[in-house]
Amino acid sequence: MKALSISNLKKEYQGGVQALKGINLQVDEGDFFALLGPNGAGKSTTIGVISSLVTKTSGQVKILDIDIDENHSLAKKKLGVVGQEVNFNQFEKVGDIIRNQAGYYGLGFRKSKENAKYYMKKLDIWDKRNEQARKLSGGMKRRVMVAKALVNNPELLILDEPTAGVDIELRRSLWDFLTEINNNGTSIILTTHYLEEAERLCRNIAIIDSGEIVENTSMQELLTRLEEETFIFDLVKPINELPDVNEFEVVLENPRRIKVTLAKDQGLNTVFKKLSEFGIEISSMRNETGRLEELFLELVEPTLKEKEQ
Ligand code: ADP
Ligand code: MG
């Protein structure tokens, strides 16, 4: 079974913004999945549709095999969502917010109390239970949101940029906590614009850009790919067959052009040496920057900038 299955999902906002242009996404049960993308890519819109806060234009969404259009209330019970914005009444007490949410999901009084206590303790907000939520710091409010999303023990937890704007300590403790509940069987999807965060936590990843999924693979495969560089070599004399090289990957694009892929730390000298051994002369070369690589510069840069500050 899939924890989440999205088919051909489109969202056009009033005014004509095409926030989602027909995305497809599958997340396995038990997975820790990252939806990575720059600002405005469509991450929150996707989560909004899954959690029925945003009306989709077309397409299908299934949570644990339950179509959200066919059985909305059952789908909702399987799902916990931590949005980007504070989603509780800040004048209420922390404990009440979390217990009431459990009640809203249909948990009985005793069970609500028990679950609320469990997650408040887990998230280190138990001693804040009698405080008015508005008095808490931003980071503490984020913990309240996580406890609220988890109080009915959802099978799928979705978090929208959970660590944006929170301090490093909370970021770390949230990472540990999410890893723990994922190990205990909860499927987790998070959106982030931090590559580092996706890298730390997630097994699988999709990258979204301008409302389209541009990449969907395992984290490991993606990282390997990012450590490679591709060059295009134009040749002086045409060749019909490639030489037999093991040191790097080479593809014959056409008789006068080859494409070489090598690890970023490998250096081009080996390539030049090897090619000249086979009598291949190069007239010009250039670095091929893929769309993915360009996108990654955008995704990695904000992290670096924040670190410099
Ligand atoms: P992300 O969460 O990846 O930053 P969003 O899903 O918030 O991206 O936004 C995707 C696109 O949809 C952006 O171009 C954004 O400006 C637009 N958008 C988001 N919400 C609305 C809305 N309520 N009305 C109109 N356009 C919106
Ligand atoms: Mg967003």
Side-chain angles (χ1 to χ4, degrees):
M1 200 176 10
K2 298 284 173 194
L4 178 71
S5 173
I6 292 180
S7 320
N8 203 16
L9 179 63
K10 292 184 185 164
K11 173 63 188 179
E12 186 177 324
Y13 283 107
Q14 263 179 354
V17 178
Q18 271 204 295
L20 299 173
K21 298 170 182 164
I23 64 165
N24 294 292
L25 204 61
Q26 307 271 325
V27 177
D28 287 332
E29 241 189 313
D31 202 356
F32 203 140
F33 189 95
L35 184 61
L36 183 71
N39 278 329
K43 303 182 296 295
S44 295
T45 302
T46 307
I47 291 186
V49 171
I50 299 167
S51 53
S52 305
L53 296 170
V54 173
T55 335
K56 58 184 159 59
T57 305
S58 62
Q60 192 189 41
V61 177
K62 285 181 173 180
I63 298 165
L64 279 312
D65 269 355
I66 303 154
D67 191 315
I68 60 165
D69 293 330
E70 283 170 14
N71 200 339
H72 174 74
S73 56
L74 184 59
K76 221 172 167 171
K77 277 188 183 161
K78 307 259 175 195
L79 180 70
V81 177
V82 182
Q84 259 183 307
E85 313 286 336
V86 171
N87 64 340
F88 50 74
N89 181 347
Q90 304 216 32
F91 290 93
E92 283 182 32
K93 286 180 185 166
V94 169
D96 291 340
I97 291 169
I98 296 164
R99 277 190 297 271
N100 289 344
Q101 180 71 14
Y104 169 76
Y105 276 114
L107 272 62
F109 178 75
R110 187 171 295 180
K111 189 73 186 154
S112 296
K113 223 174 135 182
E114 186 186 311
N115 284 12
K117 183 174 175 180
Y118 176 79
Y119 284 111
M120 279 193 273
K121 287 201 161 172
K122 269 278 172 205
L123 285 150
D124 253 341
I125 48 173
W126 177 240
D127 60 338
K128 308 273 185 224
R129 64 191 179 280
N130 292 319
E131 277 189 38
Q132 223 179 19
R134 70 186 176 98
K135 295 192 177 135
L136 304 185
S137 68
M140 283 292 167
K141 283 179 189 163
R142 188 73 59 148
R143 292 179 197 222
V144 174
M145 288 162 75
V146 177
K148 184 177 170 239
L150 281 170
V151 75
N152 68 320
N153 296 325
E155 286 169 61
L156 172 62
L157 177 67
I158 303 185
L159 307 104
D160 196 358
E161 306 214 20
T163 61
V166 307
D167 60 69
I168 290 182
E169 199 186 325
L170 174 58
R171 189 174 294 184
R172 294 262 152 78
S173 67
L174 211 50
W175 282 351
D176 289 344
F177 175 70
L178 293 176
T179 304
E180 183 190 327
I181 61 168
N182 177 247
N183 287 338
N184 292 337
T186 309
S187 310
I188 301 181
I189 300 172
L190 62 82
T191 77
T192 180
H193 61 264
Y194 301 112
L195 175 61
E196 187 197 347
E197 180 158 85
E199 192 180 333
R200 282 268 184 120
L201 296 172
C202 301
R203 277 187 291 281
N204 291 296
I205 183 169
I207 301 175
I208 185 167
D209 187 29
S210 308
E212 287 176 285
I213 303 284
V214 294
E215 193 63 56
N216 189 351
T217 182
S218 72
M219 198 64 230
Q220 204 168 10
E221 206 272 332
L222 186 77
L223 292 174
T224 318
R225 211 154 1 121
L226 285 169
E227 280 157 18
E228 292 171 346
E229 212 161 0
T230 301
F231 297 90
I232 309 281
F233 291 95
D234 291 312
L235 310 179
V236 176
K237 282 175 283 179
I239 57 171
N240 294 317
E241 233 180 298
L242 279 173
D244 208 6
V245 284
N246 306 317
E247 290 83 354
F248 47 87
E249 193 188 314
V250 50
V251 177
L252 189 61
E253 294 263 283
N254 65 50
R256 280 194 183 269
R257 180 174 292 175
I258 58 173
K259 195 168 167 173
V260 170
T261 303
L262 67 165
K264 280 203 168 128
D265 57 8
Q266 218 173 347
L268 277 164
N269 278 341
T270 345
V271 181
F272 294 135
K273 202 165 146 241
K274 209 73 204 170
L275 291 177
S276 74
E277 269 175 35
F278 288 98
I280 298 174
E281 284 177 64
I282 295 152
S283 64
S284 69
M285 69 163 267
R286 65 181 181 279
N287 193 322
E288 187 189 60
T289 329
R291 188 173 172 205
L292 185 63
E293 204 161 293
E294 280 166 18
L295 190 59
F296 260 97
L297 291 176
E298 275 178 56
L299 293 170
V300 175
E301 257 175 13
T303 326
L304 297 177
K305 276 187 196 140
E306 274 164 40
K307 275 183 188 153
E308 279 164 18
Q309 276 167 9

